[in-house]
Amino acid sequence: MTITIGVDIGGSHITSAAVDITTSEIISGTYYRGPVNSKASKDLIFKDWARVINKTLNSINSNETIGIGFAMPGPFQYKIGKAMFEKNDKYESLYQVSVVNELIHYLDHKKVELRFLNDASSFGLGGKLTNEFKENSRVVAITIGTGFGAAFLKDNFPIADDDLVPQGGCLWDKNYKKGIADDYFSTRWFIARYSLLSGKEGINGVKDIVNFNNEYTHQVFQEFSNNLAEFMLPYLLDFNTDLLLIGGNITRSHQLFLPMVIDLWNKQGFKIPVRIIQKSEEANLIGASYLFNETFWETIKDELPAL
């Protein structure tokens, strides 16, 4: 198959599009996005997902079997397509539900095959495939937004079980300061830290903090820069990284932290190309659709993390 569908599952939305996997390009007229209530029942969640996916399915109007690749957050059993969301405030009604077996009942097109990849891995793969980075063999991709995602790619393949990468190929759960990385590299850290420094409550997100443009804004971004530079450097060195890709909602404010991060690394003698992927969702879709590159799939399917 040359046309597959990529789906990006977010905490509050779903995005779907058909992708030409020979060119890694989204096909015009097939891109759809819609809201999802991740705290709803299984039935309502699947209806929200199917509402968007069906629009893409109907836009390509094919009688052949259609591959649908999902960029899916964890915890998830990616090889068998079972959700393991528990105590993480989203999609908990899907706990131990086989998405691969049950979602098909909500789709208009029944001749489909579903495959799943971690959303951070999808982002890194899609970001690399669609830009000028094809010559870079060791790529680390991170997403900074509601949570902190990471992927380690070697020659386009996600690496999770290797001495050169952290356990599970993830960073969100690694110890940092008084907690874990996700506590420090996420929207909730920005809100909590700004509120503590300024005494201001009712902050909705990082965009509010940027718009305040005051001394507390600059202090928060300075601290974030110091933390990110300190935390990431050992992992980048261990992997012998030759490219760092960054995506996620917080990268819309990259001018307030990325120059400081790069400067801190340069002062320690570490230089690496860093690129912002502005269209993170599109990268997720393209990366997820690549699950139907059969060479790629046969290589990674038995290496996919259980959670």
Side-chain angles (χ1 to χ4, degrees):
M1 58 184 74
T2 58
I3 296 177
T4 61
I5 291 176
V7 176
D8 178 35
I9 301 294
S12 61
H13 73 278
I14 175 175
T15 308
S16 174
V19 178
D20 184 334
I21 62 172
T22 62
T23 62
S24 297
E25 293 180 349
I26 290 175
I27 297 172
S28 178
T30 69
Y31 183 100
Y32 294 95
R33 193 177 196 272
V36 177
N37 179 3
S38 63
K39 301 180 189 298
S41 67
K42 178 185 75 171
D43 180 63
L44 290 176
I45 289 172
F46 280 159
K47 284 180 177 177
D48 283 343
W49 288 4
R51 187 177 299 113
V52 173
I53 297 170
N54 282 333
K55 289 179 180 178
T56 299
L57 282 168
N58 293 328
S59 71
I60 60 178
N61 192 27
S62 173
N63 292 321
E64 299 179 353
T65 298
I66 298 172
I68 305 179
F70 289 77
M72 183 73 72
F76 196 87
Q77 294 185 355
Y78 293 93
K79 183 177 180 180
I80 64 174
K82 179 185 284 189
M84 300 300 292
F85 304 113
E86 185 183 28
K87 299 178 181 178
N88 59 353
D89 203 36
K90 63 182 179 183
Y91 297 124
E92 290 183 304
S93 64
L94 300 185
Y95 180 60
Q96 292 192 330
V97 170
S98 174
V99 176
V100 73
N101 289 334
E102 297 199 31
L103 180 60
I104 190 172
H105 300 300
Y106 296 79
L107 300 179
D108 292 343
H109 194 100
K110 304 305 180 186
K111 293 171 62 178
V112 296
E113 182 179 356
L114 311 185
R115 294 177 182 175
F116 304 85
L117 187 64
N118 176 268
D119 52 356
S121 296
S122 297
F123 164 75
L125 181 60
K128 186 172 185 296
L129 288 171
T130 56
N131 288 279
E132 72 278 11
F133 316 128
K134 293 181 174 60
E135 299 304 315
N136 298 89
S137 61
R138 292 179 175 266
V139 177
V140 173
I142 61 174
T143 55
I144 311 169
T146 305
F148 181 48
F152 294 77
L153 304 174
K154 182 179 179 181
D155 298 325
N156 286 357
F157 295 103
I159 305 297
D161 185 16
D162 189 289
D163 291 341
L164 299 179
V165 303
Q167 185 177 9
C170 300
L171 291 176
W172 70 272
D173 57 346
K174 302 306 180 281
N175 292 333
Y176 185 61
K177 292 193 172 182
K178 296 181 179 180
I180 60 174
D182 203 64
D183 297 330
Y184 290 85
F185 309 116
S186 57
T187 299
R188 68 180 183 279
W189 179 86
F190 275 90
I191 293 173
R193 188 61 180 152
Y194 187 92
S195 296
L196 181 65
L197 291 172
S198 66
K200 186 176 179 61
E201 300 295 334
I203 301 167
N204 294 318
V206 176
K207 184 178 179 180
D208 286 353
I209 296 171
V210 173
N211 289 337
F212 293 146
N213 192 27
N214 55 29
E215 60 181 303
Y216 305 114
T217 300
H218 299 297
Q219 183 174 344
V220 166
F221 273 97
Q222 179 70 64
E223 291 182 15
F224 178 79
S225 301
N226 291 338
N227 291 342
L228 187 63
E230 177 184 62
F231 176 78
M232 287 299 304
L233 184 57
Y235 296 107
L236 296 173
L237 289 171
D238 287 347
F239 192 56
N240 194 24
T241 311
D242 57 26
L243 174 68
L244 174 63
L245 302 180
I246 306 179
N249 290 335
I250 293 175
T251 57
R252 295 171 184 167
S253 308
H254 65 90
Q255 71 279 3
L256 297 179
F257 69 87
L258 188 55
M260 287 186 280
V261 171
I262 293 173
D263 185 57
L264 286 167
W265 287 340
N266 287 344
K267 287 178 179 177
Q268 296 180 70
F270 178 68
K271 295 186 178 183
I272 184 175
V274 181
R275 299 291 184 269
I276 297 293
I277 304 297
Q278 297 285 5
K279 296 180 179 180
S280 298
E281 284 186 9
E282 291 190 10
N284 286 356
L285 298 176
I286 291 166
S289 73
Y290 200 69
L291 286 165
F292 291 91
N293 176 304
E294 293 304 325
T295 301
F296 177 78
W297 176 246
E298 289 300 318
T299 302
I300 72 157
K301 67 178 182 180
D302 293 323
E303 306 295 330
L304 292 172
L307 295 175

